[in-house]
Amino acid sequence: MMTVTLRSRSLGLSSAPKPPDPSSKEGVRLHAESDFYWHCKEILEYEDLHEPLHRPVCDFVNPYNWAPHEKVRVLIIPRRHLKTSIASIGLPSYLWLKNRDTRVLLGHGKRMTAVEYFQELKHKLETNTVLPWIAPEVFFKDPQKQSKRWLQD
């Protein structure tokens, strides 16, 4: 049995949705699937996320919040405000948790920057212990041995 300790400070905030029981695997998964900000903050351990700034950013980026006619959104906020961590690293893992058949393309104006984002995403998924615990049918326990391939080109 695995024990997961999650920081409780983000669980009791009034602007956040009421969390499911965080002591159960199902409760953690339900919360991670229903609250993108919480997913980034607690599951992916982005400790620098600040709720007044980053919850609206997460809500804006999350395609499950888009109107049916919307295909693209543009997020313009200053550098070093965790745009990449949220949109290029956090969002793919969130989308895979909700639908394991989702395909993700990471792009950038510079190839090496896109490769760096890809490597950061891969590292985050290979070292995260909570994702395979709450969704073993989606995330491998030992991705280096179990995953078929990672295409970077």
Side-chain angles (χ1 to χ4, degrees):
M1 180 169 169
M2 180 178 185
T3 303
V4 175
T5 304
L6 301 172
R7 293 179 304 282
S8 61
R9 67 176 182 264
S10 66
L11 296 178
L13 298 172
S14 60
S15 62
K18 183 172 173 27
D21 178 13
S23 63
S24 73
K25 179 165 125 173
E26 293 76 21
V28 172
R29 180 172 181 156
L30 215 75
H31 200 135
E33 286 179 342
S34 63
D35 186 346
F36 179 43
Y37 172 80
W38 192 85
H39 176 87
C40 291
K41 179 90 171 179
E42 300 296 333
I43 303 297
L44 299 180
E45 299 177 336
Y46 286 127
E47 296 176 2
D48 292 336
L49 292 183
H50 180 62
E51 185 157 12
L53 171 65
H54 293 107
R55 179 171 291 285
V57 170
C58 288
D59 291 343
F60 179 82
V61 169
N62 183 352
Y64 288 96
N65 294 337
W66 296 7
H69 67 278
E70 289 184 281
K71 302 286 183 217
V72 176
R73 284 189 174 184
V74 176
L75 175 66
I76 301 174
I77 57 175
R79 297 176 119 194
R80 310 203 43 86
H81 279 70
L82 303 173
K83 293 182 302 285
T84 299
S85 298
I86 292 169
S88 298
I89 312 304
L91 189 58
S93 66
Y94 177 75
L95 296 175
W96 287 324
L97 187 59
K98 293 179 82 61
N99 178 1
R100 65 187 271 173
D101 294 326
T102 300
R103 291 183 183 227
V104 173
L105 171 67
L106 293 179
H108 193 274
K110 296 181 181 175
R111 181 185 180 281
M112 282 312 300
T113 304
V115 169
E116 288 171 12
Y117 293 167
F118 170 81
Q119 289 171 344
E120 185 179 342
L121 172 60
K122 182 179 176 187
H123 174 75
K124 195 59 120 167
L125 295 177
E126 288 178 343
T127 58
N128 189 291
T129 57
V130 179
L131 288 170
W133 177 64
I134 63 171
E137 76 285 0
V138 179
F139 299 99
F140 297 113
K141 193 170 191 168
D142 186 357
Q144 292 180 344
K145 291 181 182 174
Q146 294 175 289
S147 64
K148 293 179 182 176
R149 61 184 175 170
W150 284 88
L151 297 178
Q152 128 179 343
D153 288 320

